[in-house]
Amino acid sequence: QVQLVESGGGSVQPGGSLSLSCEGSEIIFSRYDVSWYRQVPGKSRELVALITSSDSSSHYVDSVKGRFTISRDNAKNTVKLQMNSLKVEDTAVYYCNARDQVFGLSYWGQGTQVTVSS
């Protein structure tokens, strides 16, 4: 069974950093577009960052540009989200998603909580 497992969440103060990791099982990440989403209660799930399968180009929502970086480590079959200069409004559950462009299949991780507070 395909599984995506996120790790690295936790609690930090504003201005701090966290590094999230998404590890795939029974899936080769290099063949998928991989994204990080986040969601808070009462709001829809928001796309935060995307890295493509075709050329590994990255894309970010405006609110995190310059602060977050998405990257791949194909040897480890992982996708990382480095989050710097964290703000209170970054608080959310962060989810990893992998999408197969050929068959339209999409897989989700279980989510990891990120809390930014004083």
Side-chain angles (χ1 to χ4, degrees):
Q1 293 180 327
V2 172
Q3 284 190 287
L4 276 59
V5 179
E6 302 98 331
S7 61
S11 297
V12 296
Q13 296 181 354
S17 297
L18 283 174
S19 181
L20 305 183
S21 181
C22 178
E23 182 174 4
S25 298
E26 298 184 17
I27 181 172
I28 301 175
F29 270 168
S30 64
R31 301 177 182 176
Y32 291 77
D33 292 351
V34 180
S35 303
W36 286 95
Y37 288 75
R38 65 187 180 189
Q39 188 168 29
V40 299
K43 297 191 69 176
S44 60
R45 192 167 295 186
E46 175 188 36
L47 176 63
V48 177
L50 164 70
I51 187 164
T52 66
S53 63
S54 57
D55 60 359
S56 290
S57 61
S58 58
H59 308 269
Y60 304 91
V61 67
D62 285 345
S63 60
V64 309
K65 286 181 179 177
R67 300 188 297 119
F68 290 10
T69 303
I70 188 170
S71 61
R72 295 180 182 269
D73 187 336
N74 289 334
K76 297 179 180 179
N77 205 39
T78 61
V79 172
K80 174 185 175 181
L81 185 68
Q82 178 66 46
M83 306 186 295
N84 299 324
S85 302
L86 284 162
K87 303 176 180 179
V88 172
E89 51 264 43
D90 294 320
T91 296
V93 177
Y94 283 71
Y95 297 90
C96 181
N97 172 269
R99 189 172 190 272
D100 169 25
Q101 298 297 334
V102 176
F103 297 102
L105 299 176
S106 186
Y107 302 95
W108 291 93
Q110 82 289 346
T112 185
Q113 177 71 48
V114 171
T115 301
V116 185
S117 66
S118 299

